[in-house]
Amino acid sequence: MRIPRTALLVLVISVLTVVIAACSSNAPATLQDIPVYAGAQPAEAGSNFVTDAMVKAIEDSVAGQNLTSQINLYELPEGTQWTDVKQFYTDQVGDDWKASSDLTQEADVINIIGWQRGSGASEQALIVGQAEDPLSGKVFLLTGLFSE
């Protein structure tokens, strides 16, 4: 008699563990969940060749990978430094996001930092990029969220 009760108890505990894990899993993030750097103003797509090239490069890299993407573009206040933007997002991105060196690139004109969360079909990637237009001197912020 003890074996069937033990088996039933193990089955009930297993089912409860799965249900609790499913209920506590993180819902997919949207870009509305990601804060915007202070003073950043929305920028129109197509208004700048640097940002257009950056957005196109990102869209081309995710094309054919069966990902959904959300990209927002902003103009940053004059004098905004990459170190400030990077620190802001590093502080603001939640603990369920893990920094990803594969999504991070720092150069003179374009800088990108990225994070990942989840796994398998619920994996998401977040990137934050800053680009400067060398002709106008305007500095732009790009936020992108990619989901499987």
Side-chain angles (χ1 to χ4, degrees):
M1 284 300 267
R2 291 187 66 83
I3 294 174
R5 283 188 182 174
T6 304
L8 182 59
L9 181 60
V10 169
L11 178 63
V12 168
I13 290 172
S14 297
V15 169
L16 286 174
T17 302
V18 170
V19 169
I20 290 169
C23 291
S24 65
S25 67
N26 294 329
T30 67
L31 275 183
Q32 289 72 23
D33 299 327
I34 308 301
V36 177
Y37 187 82
Q41 297 297 316
E44 267 188 57
S47 65
N48 183 277
F49 79 94
V50 171
T51 58
D52 289 347
M54 199 161 122
V55 169
K56 179 162 179 20
I58 291 168
E59 288 173 342
D60 288 349
S61 71
V62 298
Q65 293 186 31
N66 200 25
L67 299 174
T68 59
S69 63
Q70 302 171 38
I71 298 175
N72 287 343
L73 190 59
Y74 303 92
E75 187 173 334
L76 288 168
E78 190 174 326
T80 302
Q81 300 297 311
W82 171 241
T83 53
D84 298 329
V85 172
K86 183 177 171 179
Q87 188 62 54
F88 173 81
Y89 282 99
T90 299
D91 292 344
Q92 294 296 316
V93 171
D95 291 337
D96 57 335
W97 291 95
K98 303 298 177 213
S100 172
S101 60
D102 292 341
L103 299 174
T104 300
Q105 170 188 332
E106 295 182 288
D108 291 335
V109 179
I110 298 174
N111 297 296
I112 298 172
I113 186 169
W115 296 266
Q116 292 178 300
R117 74 178 217 162
S119 62
S122 64
E123 186 172 4
Q124 291 187 291
L126 170 66
I127 61 167
V128 173
Q130 178 180 324
E132 181 179 347
D133 177 350
L135 298 177
S136 69
K138 290 182 179 180
V139 180
F140 294 91
L141 172 72
L142 177 138
T143 57
L145 183 65
F146 308 93
S147 305
E148 290 197 46

